[in-house]
Amino acid sequence: MLARVWSASIVGIDAVKVGVEVDVSGGMPGVVLLGLPDAAVQESRERVKATLKNAGYAFPMRKIVINLTPADLRKEGPSFDLPISVGIMAASEQVSAQMLGDYLFLGEVSLDGSLRPVAGVLPIAAAAQKLGISGLVVPADNAREAAVVQGLEVYGFKDLSQVADFLNQPERYTPMQMDGLQEIERSQLNGPDLKDVKGQSHARRALEIAAAGGHNLIFVGPPGSGKTMLARRLPGILPPLSFEEALEVTQIHSVAGLLKNRGTLVSDRPYRSPHHSASGPALVGGGTFPRPGEISLAHRGVLFMDELTEFKRDVLEFLRQPLEDGYVTISRTRQSVMFPAQFTLVASTNPCPCGYYGDTIQACSCSPRQREQYWAKLSGPLMDRIDLQVAVNRLKPEEITRQPLGENSAPVRERVQLARERSRNRFKTQTNLRCNAEMQSSHLQQWCNLDDASRNLLEAAIRKLGLSARASDRILKVARTIADLAGDEDLKPNHVAEAIQYRTIDRMQ
């Protein structure tokens, strides 16, 4: 007898519907698995055989042919265990096949018949809803994640026996209910608070601008000046994720297998901090079956790269395309996948190998040649893509002991949200724009008009600092954000002047 069960496979962060066709017929007993399965799928033959026996079901001692369609798509992972098990039971008439065409089945099976969670359930659920599939049958630990998608019946089961009982008596079960918007509203911002930072008013201001406009930021200063402390407080002043943004972020984390023990939406903005020994594939993603890297896991959040000049130069060059385009493309012989990567880059570095160039407390021991080689890791095109370049000086002893704590994160976050609302109102006809940093040249001409005084100021800065066209565009984006924070509709000379001040490294080199 022939049975067909529907499942799905992940390609990038998208899902492709996969048919699991099972034919049980006469002939020498054995199992043939077709359709470009990887090693984990090949091993499912033995897992399913032991699972069915231990769960109290018969494994047909006949010839079993399992075909995974489409045949030219590589299938990977253990998520096909459950649909293969259901297909064998349906083809051998141990469960009813009446409902198989209406549901997608996903899940790994243990030898005792229990179901284990798998990665990538949320994007599969979203794809199933668009394809008109009635519902999803998944392990219990994946049910909350899949139920975030509205208009889809999601059933979560702990073992294979419950799945078989559901197929035979569906009226006994009710689908999982989940309100994703309520999950977002319940999220709490528990990150480090800006009040812990003493002094550093210039750096705090840069953080506020970066949060309000989504601008990339680098702190340059000696050891102990507070660069890392400042960077870790950026997520606490960013506006909360919208429901659509939370879905995007959660899909990426689901594909990466980071939701197995979380079970619902990612409600806080991501904060990723890769070590400077990270490779290029670890940063941008990769693998035989491409998986998202750190920059995609930081989508809609913050990517913090501490000691930026300690990263290998070729690794840093991988950042150029995603910083400009907001996505990264990974090509393989058989496929090419695209991962979203719209993140705010926050970096920190010392000004020289010893760390004390320009420090007012300790003298620098580096030669000009050493400083030149140190900065050579950061190419001009990469630095052009960093909007805010801020020098951070160490506090003096009396400032450390006597200066009061700074402003809390809460009022700063309120100002940031107001500025973002002003930009969203301006972008209401541009559905692809979410913040000022994402504006293109055509948008700058429309929303960043300069009066004569502002234009003369910018032209003088371009000549003196030798700025590229890209760097001057980024000055305009920063000036637009500064105006939004001030509640001004038009750009003024003071907005442009402050934006120019955030080209510290352009003046150092």
Side-chain angles (χ1 to χ4, degrees):
M1 181 179 175
L2 174 66
R4 178 184 283 113
V5 182
W6 293 111
S7 188
S9 184
I10 294 292
V11 179
I13 63 167
D14 298 318
V16 178
K17 189 178 179 182
V18 173
V20 180
E21 300 173 336
V22 180
D23 180 65
V24 177
S25 59
M28 289 291 293
V31 180
V32 179
L33 187 55
L34 309 173
L36 291 181
D38 75 342
V41 181
Q42 290 279 8
E43 292 172 353
S44 67
R45 292 179 297 184
E46 298 303 321
R47 281 197 301 273
V48 168
K49 184 176 181 179
T51 297
L52 289 176
K53 291 182 178 179
N54 292 331
Y57 297 94
F59 187 84
M61 298 305 295
R62 306 176 71 184
K63 183 178 181 180
I64 302 175
V65 178
I66 303 170
N67 182 40
L68 307 178
T69 62
D72 60 346
L73 176 71
R74 293 283 298 180
K75 321 300 187 306
E76 63 159 332
S79 61
F80 293 102
D81 287 1
L82 178 58
I84 289 174
S85 301
V86 170
I88 292 175
M89 289 192 293
S92 58
E93 300 182 340
Q94 298 181 73
V95 296
S96 171
Q98 184 176 355
M99 299 174 57
L100 296 185
D102 298 328
Y103 292 86
L104 284 184
F105 293 79
L106 296 165
E108 177 185 349
V109 297
S110 295
L111 299 187
D112 62 355
S114 60
L115 301 184
R116 296 172 54 83
V118 293
V121 168
L122 181 58
I124 290 174
Q129 195 265 345
K130 293 178 182 177
L131 290 171
I133 299 294
S134 298
L136 218 61
V137 177
V138 296
D141 290 341
N142 286 130
R144 285 174 58 84
E145 176 187 344
V148 167
V149 178
Q150 302 298 309
L152 191 70
E153 294 180 5
V154 175
Y155 294 89
F157 299 112
K158 294 183 178 181
D159 55 48
L160 192 60
S161 297
Q162 289 183 342
V163 176
D165 189 49
F166 165 72
L167 291 173
N168 292 325
Q169 303 179 76
E171 67 278 357
R172 296 178 56 187
Y173 296 86
T174 57
M176 166 74 73
Q177 299 295 325
M178 181 74 179
D179 189 344
L181 190 59
Q182 195 175 66
E183 290 292 317
I184 294 292
E185 293 172 350
R186 279 204 297 260
S187 67
Q188 299 293 325
L189 297 172
N190 297 319
D193 199 294
L194 267 176
K195 70 178 181 180
D196 301 328
V197 180
K198 288 188 175 183
Q200 307 294 8
S201 58
H202 186 53
R204 291 171 61 98
R205 171 67 171 171
L207 273 182
E208 185 173 339
I209 294 171
H215 301 290
N216 302 318
L217 167 67
I218 184 170
F219 289 125
V220 182
S225 57
K227 304 183 297 294
T228 302
M229 185 179 187
L230 284 160
R232 287 175 176 168
R233 279 148 181 79
L234 178 58
I237 62 174
L238 288 170
L241 287 170
S242 67
F243 181 70
E244 292 76 16
E245 289 175 330
L247 276 177
E248 293 177 15
V249 173
T250 307
Q251 285 189 5
I252 297 170
H253 284 68
S254 176
V255 169
L258 301 180
L259 291 183
K260 289 183 180 179
N261 297 321
R262 300 181 66 171
T264 185
L265 281 176
V266 175
S267 55
D268 298 322
R269 291 195 179 270
Y271 179 86
R272 306 294 298 184
S273 181
H275 191 261
H276 58 73
S277 62
S279 64
L283 200 63
V284 301
T288 305
F289 296 93
R291 286 291 181 265
E294 291 290 338
I295 62 174
S296 293
L297 293 172
H299 181 63
R300 301 297 181 196
V302 176
L303 178 70
F304 176 48
M305 300 183 72
D306 199 9
E307 302 298 341
L308 188 66
T309 47
E310 297 300 324
F311 285 81
K312 295 179 181 178
R313 180 180 174 121
D314 60 334
V315 172
L316 293 177
E317 292 304 300
F318 281 122
L319 292 172
R320 287 167 58 175
Q321 185 225 345
L323 283 176
E324 193 70 24
D325 300 332
Y327 62 87
V328 59
T329 302
I330 300 174
S331 298
R332 293 291 179 267
T333 303
R334 299 184 63 89
Q335 64 179 350
S336 179
V337 300
M338 187 172 69
F339 293 114
Q342 290 184 319
F343 57 90
T344 298
L345 173 65
V346 181
S348 71
T349 185
N350 295 331
C352 65
C354 79
Y356 295 104
Y357 179 63
D359 188 33
T360 58
I361 300 176
Q362 186 169 336
C364 174
S365 61
C366 304
S367 66
R369 177 63 176 165
Q370 287 175 314
R371 289 195 292 269
E372 182 180 347
Q373 291 177 336
Y374 185 76
W375 282 104
K377 287 187 177 181
L378 306 181
S379 66
L382 176 61
M383 296 311 301
D384 274 353
R385 290 167 168 82
I386 299 181
D387 307 353
L388 303 166
Q389 304 168 2
V390 183
V392 182
N393 298 317
R394 284 197 292 173
L395 296 178
K396 297 177 181 179
E398 58 272 20
E399 292 176 320
I400 296 175
T401 58
R402 300 177 186 178
Q403 200 164 48
L405 295 176
E407 185 181 21
N408 293 346
S409 291
V412 179
R413 187 166 56 249
E414 290 177 5
R415 294 197 295 269
V416 166
Q417 290 176 339
L418 286 174
R420 290 247 183 169
E421 286 176 9
R422 294 186 182 103
S423 63
R424 279 197 298 270
N425 290 334
R426 190 164 54 247
F427 301 149
K428 56 187 176 184
T429 59
Q430 304 287 330
T431 56
N432 60 328
L433 293 181
R434 295 176 183 266
C435 59
N436 290 332
E438 297 176 8
M439 289 192 295
Q440 304 299 318
S441 296
S442 59
H443 305 132
L444 296 179
Q445 295 174 4
Q446 182 177 358
W447 294 311
C448 297
N449 292 322
L450 300 176
D451 56 24
D452 291 340
S454 300
R455 186 176 295 105
N456 293 336
L457 188 61
L458 180 58
E459 290 172 356
I462 293 173
R463 284 192 293 268
K464 185 174 181 179
L465 300 177
L467 300 177
S468 66
R470 181 186 289 115
S472 64
D473 282 352
R474 298 206 171 244
I475 287 176
L476 288 177
K477 295 177 186 180
V478 173
R480 179 67 267 171
T481 299
I482 294 171
D484 288 341
L485 284 168
D488 295 330
E489 187 63 31
D490 299 321
L491 295 188
K492 299 177 182 178
N494 62 301
H495 303 145
V496 177
E498 184 178 357
I500 293 171
Q501 291 301 308
Y502 294 113
R503 305 302 303 189
T504 302
I505 296 178
D506 292 319
R507 297 198 297 272
M508 290 175 60
Q509 295 178 309

